[in-house]
């Protein structure tokens, strides 16, 4: 049993923690110097030593640890982790039964009761992502819960330990059978090639599942589609499957061309009939605006922060300008899918960028629909920052 460190919480942080916000801010703690080893169990108390919650110490970009229980009698032992993992697995029961979708999130951090840990499922393989040294120190206990409760072929992991959340290079295989990669998983009947042991990213972002399906089923037919920041081209594949006239995928990373060709190929789409452009989006946009190239549908899914040779992009600062150029290359009645995973601002502010961009370009628009995280990416009301995804479908009217 780990030793418990008692931490005093400053008055102005008590209310939020008591209301169930599980994130422990580093500046909330009065005696932070008592925190020595990540993974230590901490008991939070108020200035009059009354119990607030029990959690662990783990440094992330987000904070200094997570509260795991507000019940003073609950210990953070094997049965605690069993209970959380069991509940999460059973909430995904319909996903496990699906033949059409074999990749989804099984455990979503604080949404499922353990901040700092996510678990994804890829057709029999489980991928655990550890967001701090602290949560990693519970690895044996958590693996014990998972492997006792779930049928698995193999288990892989990603370590994202430092405070920036960057990936720690390693052999990511943990136990069971090693997978053969690419592993072909399905999402709503579409194939994805996934690599669980090849760096930080596996080939697909599962949180966009509902958006991809909507593009395929309701928007793509007969349209020319531009997919910017396309990565492995997942949106392009769904658009092509939905009957798009042609897709154009733009990403800066060299690997994106081969990865996108691969995703098309495993879905019996001729990659030759699609455009795949390896280029800085900001450069491409300049070219497209100048040449008056335009599309019926433009998907815009930039990272929250990106640095290329010439450009630093921050969603919070630069999204509006990115949209202005996007509006310029969208046909009348065309649809822009504006997406961001920036957790620093919410839907309201995001819509402010959209409205500002249309206003400044003098174009009219209509909101069609909007998305946040899908249900397997479970979030809790007490921690709204956890619901980071914002996707808005906008029709350009003029
Ligand atoms: N939309 C993708 C995920 C995007 S991930 C999907 O649905 O799967 C972010 C991608 O943006 C990365 O592939 C990265 O290479 C790319 N990127 C970052 N900065 C860029 C830039 N300036 N121009 C083009 N691509 C960029």
């Amino acid at each position: 049993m780990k030793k418990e460190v008692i931490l005093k919480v400053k008055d102005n942080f008590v209310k939020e923690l008591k209301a169930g916000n599980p994130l422990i801010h580093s500046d909330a703690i009065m005696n932070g110097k008592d925190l020595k080893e990540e993974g230590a169990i901490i008991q939070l108390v108020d200035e009059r030593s009354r119990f607030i919650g029990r959690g662990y110490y783990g440094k992330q970009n987000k904070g200094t640890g997570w509260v795991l229980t507000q019940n003073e009698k609950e210990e953070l032992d094997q049965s605690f982790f069993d209970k959380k993992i069991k509940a999460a697995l059973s909430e995904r029961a319909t996903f496990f039964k699906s033949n059409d979708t074999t990749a989804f999130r099984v455990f979503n951090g604080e949404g499922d009761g353990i901040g700092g840990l996510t678990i994804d499922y890829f057709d029999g393989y489980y991928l655990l992502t550890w967001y701090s040294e602290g949560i990693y120190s519970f690895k044996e206990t958590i693996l014990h819960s998972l492997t006792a409760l779930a049928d698995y072929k193999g288990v892989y992991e990603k370590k994202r330990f430092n405070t920036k959340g960057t990936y720690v290079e390693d052999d990511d295989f943990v136990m069971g059978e090693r997978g053969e990669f690419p592993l072909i998983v399905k999402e709503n009947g579409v194939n994805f090639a996934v690599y669980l042991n090849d760096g930080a990213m596996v080939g697909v972002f599962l949180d966009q599942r509902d958006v991809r399906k909507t593009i395929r089923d309701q928007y793509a037919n007969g349209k020319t589609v531009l997919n910017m920041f396309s990565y492995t081209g997942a949106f392009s594949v769904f658009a092509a499957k939905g009957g798009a006239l042609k897709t154009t995928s733009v990403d800066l990373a060299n690997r994106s061309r081969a990865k996108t060709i691969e995703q098309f190929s495993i879905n019996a789409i001729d990659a030759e009939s699609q455009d795949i452009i390896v280029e800085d989006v900001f450069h491409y946009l300049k070219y497209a605006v100048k040449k008056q190239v335009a599309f019926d549908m433009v998907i815009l899914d930039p990272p929250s922060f990106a640095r290329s040779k010439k450009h630093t992009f921050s969603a919070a600062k630069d999204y509006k300008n990115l949209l202005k150029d996007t509006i310029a290359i969208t046909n009348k009645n065309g649809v822009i899918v504006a997406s961001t995973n920036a957790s620093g601002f919410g839907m309201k502010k995001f819509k402010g960028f959209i409205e500002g961009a249309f206003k400044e370009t003098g174009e009219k628009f209509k909101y069609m629909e909007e998305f946040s995280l899908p249900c397997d990416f479970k979030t809790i009301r007490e921690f709204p920052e956890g619901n980071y995804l914002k996707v808005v479908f906008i029709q350009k009217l003029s």
Side-chain angles (χ1 to χ4, degrees):
M1 189 62 72
K2 293 188 181 187
K3 223 177 106 226
E4 203 161 276
V5 184
I6 295 182
L7 296 180
K8 273 204 170 149
V9 175
K10 291 179 196 157
D11 257 352
N12 52 329
F13 287 90
V14 169
K15 201 173 154 200
E16 222 186 339
L17 284 161
K18 278 203 164 153
N21 184 329
L23 183 65
I24 307 168
H25 290 278
S26 44
D27 43 2
I29 304 301
M30 297 171 78
N31 52 326
K33 59 170 185 2
D34 290 350
L35 283 172
K36 300 222 160 67
E37 224 168 294
E38 285 207 42
I41 304 271
I42 53 190
Q43 188 186 136
L44 300 180
V45 296
D46 66 14
E47 290 190 28
R48 290 164 64 190
S49 295
R50 286 175 303 201
F51 180 86
I52 299 172
R54 181 173 287 120
Y56 71 89
Y57 170 43
K59 277 195 278 188
Q60 275 182 239
N61 54 343
K62 286 177 180 169
T64 206
W66 295 92
V67 174
L68 304 187
T69 179
Q70 290 180 280
N71 175 352
E72 192 168 359
K73 298 206 181 77
E74 192 167 38
E75 300 293 339
L76 304 181
D77 52 12
Q78 186 70 56
S79 80
F80 172 87
F81 288 97
D82 287 351
K83 200 168 65 188
K84 295 289 174 197
I85 303 250
K86 192 173 178 187
L89 287 165
S90 86
E91 282 181 41
R92 276 73 172 182
T94 39
F95 282 97
F96 279 107
K97 283 193 204 116
S98 168
N99 294 322
D100 255 16
T101 297
T102 59
F104 50 90
R105 178 148 293 186
V106 164
F107 198 95
N108 195 40
E110 72 289 343
D112 283 293
I114 306 172
L117 167 73
T118 63
I119 308 177
D120 293 322
Y121 177 85
F122 296 97
D123 197 20
Y125 291 88
Y126 286 82
L127 175 68
L128 290 85
T129 303
W130 312 100
Y131 286 90
S132 68
E133 298 266 11
I135 191 64
Y136 190 70
S137 74
F138 294 91
K139 176 171 170 175
E140 291 311 317
T141 313
I142 289 168
L143 272 180
H144 191 276
S145 303
L146 179 68
T147 54
L149 292 162
D151 290 330
Y152 65 98
K153 290 181 197 153
V155 179
Y156 284 79
E157 69 184 356
K158 301 286 173 205
K159 297 177 200 159
R160 291 182 176 275
F161 286 169
N162 68 31
T163 46
K164 286 207 179 90
T166 27
Y167 164 76
V168 182
E169 198 74 47
D170 209 342
D171 176 6
D172 291 337
F173 175 71
V174 179
M175 63 186 287
E177 277 170 40
R178 278 186 183 261
E180 272 184 45
F181 302 115
L183 179 68
I184 308 296
V185 299
K186 276 195 188 304
E187 182 184 280
N188 291 306
V190 171
N191 293 325
F192 279 134
V194 160
Y195 296 78
L196 299 183
N197 205 356
D198 188 22
M201 303 202 284
V202 303
V204 60
F205 291 100
L206 299 175
D207 54 2
Q208 297 275 14
R209 180 189 317 110
D210 296 344
V211 180
R212 286 189 282 263
K213 184 175 191 302
T214 302
I215 288 171
R216 179 189 65 187
D217 297 349
Q218 295 174 45
Y219 288 87
N221 196 26
K223 302 288 162 53
T224 55
V225 178
L226 172 64
N227 179 9
M228 295 198 280
F229 305 94
S230 55
Y231 181 42
T232 59
F235 284 123
S236 307
V237 171
F238 268 74
K241 279 283 169 194
L245 278 182
K246 187 166 132 181
T247 67
T248 303
S249 306
V250 185
D251 196 289
L252 182 65
N254 273 322
R255 58 162 196 254
S256 70
R257 186 190 303 278
K259 293 277 184 193
T260 305
I261 292 173
E262 177 180 42
Q263 303 295 12
F264 279 130
S265 314
I266 59 167
N267 285 290
I269 298 161
D270 179 14
E272 295 279 319
S273 62
Q274 313 292 327
D275 280 343
I276 303 169
I277 300 171
V278 176
E279 196 179 327
D280 189 321
V281 156
F282 300 98
H283 190 262
Y284 176 80
L285 274 170
K286 271 204 196 98
Y287 151 88
V289 171
K290 201 162 108 199
K291 296 272 173 188
Q292 298 193 316
V293 183
F295 298 84
D296 302 325
M297 177 166 221
V298 183
I299 301 156
L300 193 53
D301 181 31
S304 307
F305 292 99
R307 188 166 289 150
S308 60
K309 278 190 198 114
K310 290 197 185 132
H311 237 96
T312 305
F313 174 83
S314 135
K317 287 204 193 97
D318 305 316
Y319 210 107
K320 189 183 76 180
N321 284 334
L322 183 58
L323 267 170
K324 282 167 74 174
D325 285 339
T326 304
I327 292 166
I329 60 162
T330 305
N331 285 326
K332 184 179 175 193
N333 294 326
V335 173
I336 297 169
V337 179
S339 170
T340 181
N341 59 7
S343 58
F345 57 87
M347 188 57 115
K348 203 167 159 207
K349 192 160 173 192
F350 189 42
K351 284 187 163 173
F353 299 154
I354 295 169
E355 285 151 29
F358 274 95
K359 195 164 177 202
E360 287 173 31
T361 51
E363 304 285 354
K364 297 223 161 5
F365 75 99
K366 187 172 93 182
Y367 286 125
M368 309 283 284
E369 50 192 306
E370 56 188 74
F371 291 83
S372 53
L373 286 174
C375 62
D376 49 327
F377 284 67
K378 188 177 173 188
T379 53
I380 48 170
R381 209 174 319 120
E382 295 81 0
F383 190 65
E385 307 95 290
N387 198 350
Y388 56 84
L389 186 69
K390 296 164 276 294
V391 184
V392 184
F393 284 55
I394 312 149
Q395 186 171 32
K396 176 178 165 180
L397 296 175
S398 47

